[in-house]
Amino acid sequence: MRSKGTKPGSALLTGGFEISPRAQWLLLGATVVLFLLATPAEPLFYGNQVTKYLVGMADANVGFLREDWVTNTRNGLPAFRGLVFLIYWLGLPQLSYVFWITLTGIFAVGMFGLARSLQGQKTLADCMHFDRSSFIFSAFFILTNFGLLTKLWWGVAQQHLLGPALEPSHFATLFPLAILLYVTERRVAALLCTIPIGLFHPGYIIPVAVLLAGFVIADRANLRRFGVSAWAALALAFIVLAAHALYLQIHFMPTSPELAERASTILTEKRIPEQAMVARWLFTWGSAARIVAVLLAMWFARKHAVGRILLVAFAGIVALTLFQVLTGNHLLALIAPWRTSIWVVPLSVIVLLGTAAQFVDHQLERPELGVRMRLPVAALLVLLSAAAALEGANAKIKDFRAPQLAGYEIYLKNAASPHTLYLVPTDLSKIRIDTLAPIYITGKSHPYQDYEVLEWYRRTQVVDALYKPEVVDCGALRELTREAHLTHMLVTRFDQTVNCSFAKLVYLDAEARIYALKL
């Protein structure tokens, strides 16, 4: 006999047996584990972690980071700062991986449930169940983390919610769960689930607000069934997000309109143009493919709440992007309202993967094809999923081997004190974290307050000019040493000469030289 709600031919391989509730959960767990294994991951410190972790680590008195200028600038990530502080106050940096695994697992469960909901399942429990179509979908889902397919999870302008390390942006992995809870009528839980997304990443306040608007508009026919608790949760979500936005507005109050405009221009045009300038990301094949994917997903899901939510979000992205282009507002470009694509594109991918899985499932139902093809197809999907997981696990084993500091980094780390200040090339973004020492400036780690952005930019320009010629300008180096109280200079170019009387060579290896600066 078939279990209630199971359609004919939906059993896993042959259609002739049922899957027990315990096996259902085991299959879901296996899908999540295989997805986690296949998902690219990086050890501390990766990408934006070299910036996002700095202030929290400084608060926890890690090394001498508290003496660094950047860690004393205004910080716009209070929630993530607090999380990093807690991690290092406890002395357990490995908790970063626990949070990453948890959030990535939540993402996998949310996406699997959404695919099931799109197949017609109404309740949250039913959305966690397996049949042949969901088995096929799970294999497709795991394979999206193989090689270049990982970019399927990217939105436009290099925005993505599924990163290889714990960053504020990784809390966007809660979006799929929030949408799943909403479409299965767990409205209060769904609305509350959106709050930490905007709290941990201020750049996601607009994407969350767009999603909340999508919930209300897509479900407008059922608003009368919201109930007091759902309305209270919706009000709470908007109040928390509005309060956070107001806090940021006050915290980063412009010193003057002119300074704010100059700072915004520097960040959008010099620091992150590929993310903030529409002309840099819109007219690319990647953006075109993602737009087509969203339009197709809206069509395939047009009779489902997900389709209506996508429509509202897509309209919001287009409207806000047009507004930014027409006004030329650099602050809005820095906020990047098209960041909403971080959940719109992945949701669209799930719609398309689910549609493809259903198509394959229907082909296996055909009498002349299905019976003899079911076992080979199942075996192929299992093998491909296992291969993706093994490839991901192998990459993690290689990447997570104990990283070795360069010899010059070990020297700088050992020589560091509250009174040292190192001058380094601006492209050495990780050196602050690697040495836990005060660094004069690097190009990647920048503040957001207008006058601090201008000072960061001035410093990078001065340092870049100093490191550019083959012979270091001793006058310029002397002036900078006196002004900033520099104690050491790192040189990584061996075609560059430092012949200054106040610069004494104290370290030399095949990679770099270090000079002690004493006026």
Side-chain angles (χ1 to χ4, degrees), residues 231-255:
W231 282 113
L234 180 63
L236 178 63
F238 271 116
I239 289 171
V240 170
L241 292 174
H244 193 196
L246 180 62
Y247 160 78
L248 293 171
Q249 178 64 29
I250 295 172
H251 190 58
F252 292 103
M253 186 71 70
T255 306

Side-chain angles (χ1 to χ4, degrees), residues 77-264:
L77 300 167
F80 193 75
R81 173 182 184 171
L83 178 62
V84 173
F85 166 77
L86 177 64
I87 288 171
Y88 281 88
W89 179 76
L90 293 172
L92 296 171
Q94 297 81 6
L95 283 176
S96 295
Y97 302 122
V98 175
F99 282 112
W100 181 86
I101 290 170
T102 301
L103 290 169
T104 306
I106 289 172
F107 171 84
V109 171
M111 286 303 201
F112 177 86
L114 280 170
R116 294 288 288 146
S117 174
L118 287 158
Q119 293 171 2
Q121 304 302 321
K122 301 296 184 183
T123 68
L124 185 61
D126 287 342
C127 287
M128 296 296 107
H129 286 179
F130 260 79
D131 61 10
R132 187 172 57 217
S133 180
S134 55
F135 171 78
I136 297 168
F137 167 80
S138 295
F140 290 170
F141 182 53
I142 293 165
L143 288 171
T144 58
N145 278 324
F146 186 77
L148 292 176
L149 292 177
T150 55
K151 291 197 174 183
L152 288 172
W153 302 121
W154 287 34
V156 299
Q158 300 185 5
Q159 300 294 322
H160 52 89
L161 81 173
L162 191 63
L166 179 67
E167 299 176 4
S169 60
H170 206 65
F171 283 84
T173 52
L174 295 174
F175 273 117
L177 179 62
I179 298 169
L180 172 63
L181 291 170
Y182 201 85
V183 298
T184 54
E185 300 192 0
R186 304 290 183 98
R187 294 185 178 88
V188 174
L191 294 165
L192 295 178
C193 191
T194 64
I195 294 176
I197 303 173
L199 281 180
F200 277 93
H201 196 318
Y204 291 160
I205 291 177
I206 288 180
V208 170
V210 170
L211 179 60
L212 294 177
F215 284 165
V216 173
I217 295 172
D219 205 25
R220 62 189 182 281
N222 298 315
L223 291 182
R224 62 185 181 279
R225 290 163 37 196
F226 249 45
V228 175
S229 57
W231 282 113
L234 180 63
L236 178 63
F238 271 116
I239 289 171
V240 170
L241 292 174
H244 193 196
L246 180 62
Y247 160 78
L248 293 171
Q249 178 64 29
I250 295 172
H251 190 58
F252 292 103
M253 186 71 70
T255 306
S256 70
E258 294 77 16
L259 282 184
E261 178 63 20
R262 285 174 58 195
S264 298

Side-chain angles (χ1 to χ4, degrees), residues 167-443:
E167 299 176 4
S169 60
H170 206 65
F171 283 84
T173 52
L174 295 174
F175 273 117
L177 179 62
I179 298 169
L180 172 63
L181 291 170
Y182 201 85
V183 298
T184 54
E185 300 192 0
R186 304 290 183 98
R187 294 185 178 88
V188 174
L191 294 165
L192 295 178
C193 191
T194 64
I195 294 176
I197 303 173
L199 281 180
F200 277 93
H201 196 318
Y204 291 160
I205 291 177
I206 288 180
V208 170
V210 170
L211 179 60
L212 294 177
F215 284 165
V216 173
I217 295 172
D219 205 25
R220 62 189 182 281
N222 298 315
L223 291 182
R224 62 185 181 279
R225 290 163 37 196
F226 249 45
V228 175
S229 57
W231 282 113
L234 180 63
L236 178 63
F238 271 116
I239 289 171
V240 170
L241 292 174
H244 193 196
L246 180 62
Y247 160 78
L248 293 171
Q249 178 64 29
I250 295 172
H251 190 58
F252 292 103
M253 186 71 70
T255 306
S256 70
E258 294 77 16
L259 282 184
E261 178 63 20
R262 285 174 58 195
S264 298
T265 301
I266 288 171
L267 292 178
T268 55
E269 297 184 2
K270 304 292 185 182
R271 175 63 183 87
I272 50 172
E274 66 282 352
Q275 298 177 23
M277 297 180 68
V278 175
R280 292 286 291 269
W281 60 260
L282 180 58
F283 304 107
T284 65
W285 287 111
S287 293
R290 291 177 175 91
I291 292 170
V292 170
V294 174
L295 294 174
L296 286 173
M298 285 193 291
W299 171 257
F300 285 122
R302 62 191 181 280
K303 296 181 180 179
H304 193 279
V306 165
R308 297 190 291 274
I309 291 171
L310 283 173
L311 177 61
V312 172
F314 186 74
I317 294 171
V318 171
L320 289 171
T321 301
L322 282 174
F323 180 77
Q324 192 282 320
V325 171
L326 292 174
T327 61
N329 188 301
H330 282 97
L331 179 58
L332 185 57
L334 193 59
I335 295 172
W338 40 88
R339 204 189 300 260
T340 301
S341 65
I342 59 154
W343 64 262
V344 170
V345 173
L347 183 58
S348 301
V349 169
I350 287 301
V351 173
L352 298 180
L353 288 179
T355 302
Q358 284 187 301
F359 173 79
V360 174
D361 185 30
H362 290 157
Q363 295 304 307
L364 295 177
E365 285 291 325
R366 293 169 55 186
E368 71 277 14
L369 178 66
V371 174
R372 69 175 183 272
M373 290 299 297
R374 287 174 188 168
L375 189 57
V377 168
L380 177 63
L381 292 176
V382 169
L383 286 174
L384 289 175
S385 300
L390 287 173
E391 174 65 23
N394 184 55
K396 291 179 180 66
I397 291 172
K398 291 180 179 178
D399 293 340
F400 277 76
R401 289 172 182 165
Q404 299 295 320
L405 294 181
Y408 65 85
E409 291 177 316
I410 295 173
Y411 179 91
L412 293 175
K413 187 173 184 177
N414 292 335
S417 77
H419 308 294
T420 55
L421 182 59
Y422 300 148
L423 179 67
V424 304
T426 58
D427 60 345
L428 296 181
S429 59
K430 274 191 68 183
I431 196 165
R432 236 188 222 99
I433 290 289
D434 286 339
T435 63
L436 303 178
I439 304 296
Y440 179 65
I441 205 69
T442 61

